[in-house]
Each structure stands twice: as structure tokens, then as C-alpha cells.
Amino acid sequence: MTTAPTVLVLGGGSTGCGVARDLAMRGFDVTLVEKGNLTHGTTGRMHGLLHSGGRYAVSDKASARECIQENRVLRRIASHCVELTGGLFVQKEEDDDAYFEEKLQGCRDCNIPAEVLSGSEVRELEPYLAKDVKRAIRVPDGAVDPFRLCVANAASAERHGARIETHSEVTDVL
């Protein structure tokens, strides 16, 4: 005899697998259903960029803080799914010093590690950068492998008692 799950998660992408894992770890009876393979939908088409939040540090500090917090969590709990690529905000000779300083201060205000590199230092890292790059801000951007992350979350959810049902399309909810 089977019992109805306490929680039914529809979709085996980043959100669904993460929710299933979290709830299973909290002791809920969880079943996740996905009409295809894990990452079948949007997650399988994502760019994979793990933002540091630096791009939002001036215009949207709340988002910047959220990004760096998520970045740190993913690097801590799923380091095998994250490649630490780093990110650069470059300033060319004709660019405004004030904006560079505002970007740097914004990163620091949001607790985003930000290192200033000279033009020669940044070209050592990226030799094909333009010769007129004056300096750069290096931030801890990365790339996440969404398939590995979903599979790891689904496997962890299963270890905590969840059922993961792929190739199980939901056609009706009663």
C-alpha cells in the first residue's frame, strides 16, 4: 500500500531538485516528478554564470548582496559543480575614473571581494585584452554546471528519502 506524498514537486530543474532536497532533509515525504530528464526545461538551457554580484553593485545593491551570498553557498555545498572562473570589470584609458571607483566601492559595500589589478597585471591573466586597458577589478564570478548540480541535489534528496520520478509527465491534478 502506498501513501500520498506530503509534498509533490513538479519539475526536475534547479529549483525543483533544490526544493526536493531541502524538504527531504527536513523530514518531509517528498516526490519529485519530471516529464523528461533532470534539467529537461529551463535549467538545461541556462548560461551557467555564477554571479559574484559585482555587475549589480552600483545599480542594485540588494541583488548584489543576494548574488554573493548564493555564490558562497554554492561554492561551499556544491564545489564539485562550480568552476571558479573569476570575473573582470576593466577600465580603458578613456573610461571615467569616478565610475571605476564607484564600482569598486559598491563591491566593497556589498561584501563582494574585489581586487584592483593594474593593466599589466590583468593582461598577464588575459593576454588578449586591449593594450589600452588601464586597470581592472577582479571579482569571484564562476560557472556552475546545472546538470551536475541538479543530479547532486536529486541524489541527496533520494538519500534523505525522496522519490525522484523522471519521464513522468503530470497530465492532471485532482
Side-chain angles (χ1 to χ4, degrees):
M1 181 176 148
T2 62
T3 60
T6 304
V7 177
L8 177 64
V9 178
L10 303 179
S14 294
T15 302
C17 289
V19 166
R21 176 181 185 261
D22 184 74
L23 291 173
M25 290 174 74
R26 294 172 191 266
F28 285 83
D29 180 18
V30 177
T31 298
L32 178 145
V33 293
E34 166 57 55
K35 69 180 176 182
N37 290 316
L38 296 178
T39 73
H40 174 81
T42 303
T43 297
R45 295 165 184 81
M46 71 173 286
H47 54 66
L49 181 59
L50 180 60
H51 287 284
S52 62
R55 72 180 296 177
Y56 307 116
V58 173
S59 62
D60 185 353
K61 291 188 183 305
S63 291
R65 288 182 182 102
E66 187 177 309
C67 283
I68 192 60
Q69 181 180 15
E70 179 180 274
N71 179 301
R72 287 181 175 124
V73 167
L74 281 171
R75 286 187 288 138
R76 187 180 74 246
I77 68 171
S79 60
H80 62 291
C81 300
V82 175
E83 179 184 356
L84 301 176
T85 60
L88 297 170
F89 294 96
V90 299
Q91 179 188 20
K92 294 180 76 175
E93 292 292 344
E94 68 270 12
D95 293 338
D96 184 18
D97 284 338
Y99 184 76
F100 184 92
E101 295 300 330
E102 184 180 15
K103 174 67 81 177
L104 180 60
Q105 189 58 51
C107 288
R108 291 181 174 157
D109 290 346
C110 295
N111 202 25
I112 299 165
E115 177 186 6
V116 177
L117 303 173
S118 69
S120 60
E121 289 171 324
V122 73
R123 279 188 295 281
E124 280 184 35
L125 292 174
E126 296 294 338
Y128 296 108
L129 282 177
K131 299 296 182 211
D132 64 342
V133 169
K134 181 176 173 179
R135 59 185 175 164
I137 301 169
R138 180 166 47 185
V139 294
D141 287 345
V144 64
D145 181 331
F147 185 75
R148 289 184 77 187
L149 182 59
C150 283
V151 169
N153 276 331
S156 178
E158 281 186 320
R159 284 192 302 276
H160 288 89
R163 289 181 50 210
I164 307 297
E165 300 291 338
T166 58
H167 303 283
S168 300
E169 185 173 5
V170 173
T171 58
D172 198 6
V173 177
L174 303 175

